[in-house]
Amino acid sequence: MRLLALIPTVVLVSSCGMLGGPEDTAYERVQDSQRWQAVRFEDWRQDDPAFRFFPGDTLDITVHSAPELSRTATVGPDGRVNLPLAPSIMVAGLSAPEAAGRVADAYVGTLRDPIVEVTPNTFGDQNIIVGGQVNSPGLFAMPSRIGALEAVMLAGGFRDTAARGEVVVLRRAANGGVMMRVVDLRAALRGDGGADPFPLRRHDIVFVPRTTVSEVTLFIEQYVYGILPLDQAFSYAIADAITNN
C-alpha cells in the first residue's frame, strides 16, 4: 500500500518538472523531502551480530541423546533443513543456539530428553546487491572483506549520472527493519580512507542514486520493504528486478 501511495506524488513531481519554473522546482524539492521523511530506518548498528544461518550454509547437528540422528545438513532455498524422524525445520535467520533449540523442539515427540548442539560447517555465497547508477547492477559474491567502493567496481563502476558523494548502504536490522548509512565515495576516490569506513556484510544492498539520496526512497519501496527474511532466494529476486527494470 505504501508504494501505491507514492505513485501520485511521483506523477505530480514529474508534471511540475515539465513546466520548468522556479516555483515548480521548489515544489519538487518539497515533494522529495516528504517522500524521504516517510521512510523510517532503524538506527545503524555496526556491532558484530551472532552468525545466523542462510540458504546454502551447512551445519553440523549433534543429537547427544541419540547419536544415530546426528548429521551434517544443508539449509535449503526455503530456509529449512531436513532431518530423520522430524518435519522440515526452519533455521534461516537463526543463530546456532537458536537452531539447536528448534531442532530439539522437533524431536520432543520422538526422544525423551533431546540434547542438541548445532555448529556452522560451511557457508553459502556471501552475496551483496548493487543497484542504481552503476554499469552492471545485480547480485555479486563478495571475494573478500570489501567496502562500498569495491562493490561499485564489481558492478562495472559508476555511470556518469551517479551521485558519488551520496551512496547508500542498506542492511537488515535484527528486528527485520532496514538500516541505512550514506557514504561519500567521491571522497574515497580522492584517497580519503575514512570516507568508506566499514566492510559490507552478507546481503547488504549498495544503492547509487542518480542525483540525491532521496531517490533511494522509491528503490526501497519497490525492492526492499516486505522482503523478509532477506535471504539468498529473495536476493536473487531483487537483483533480477533491478537488472531488468
Side-chain angles (χ1 to χ4, degrees), residues 31-41 168 180 182 213-217 220:
Q31 296 299 303
D32 282 344
S33 174
Q34 290 173 348
R35 287 204 308 273
W36 180 241
Q37 293 170 6
V39 178
R40 180 182 176 187
F41 295 99
V168 172
M180 184 201 76
V182 180
V213 74
S214 61
E215 187 188 0
V216 77
T217 302
I220 294 170

Side-chain angles (χ1 to χ4, degrees), residues 105-118:
D105 289 343
Y107 279 127
V108 164
T110 305
L111 304 176
R112 175 173 297 179
D113 231 349
I115 301 173
V116 178
E117 181 181 2
V118 172

Side-chain angles (χ1 to χ4, degrees), residues 130-137 140 148-162 164 189 208:
V130 187
Q133 297 303 298
V134 292
N135 289 309
S136 300
F140 300 91
L149 180 58
E150 291 90 346
V152 170
M153 297 303 109
L154 284 176
F158 294 103
R159 293 182 184 174
D160 292 340
T161 51
R164 295 169 174 81
L189 287 167
V208 182

Side-chain angles (χ1 to χ4, degrees), residues 21 26 60 66 187 198:
D60 290 330
F198 58 92

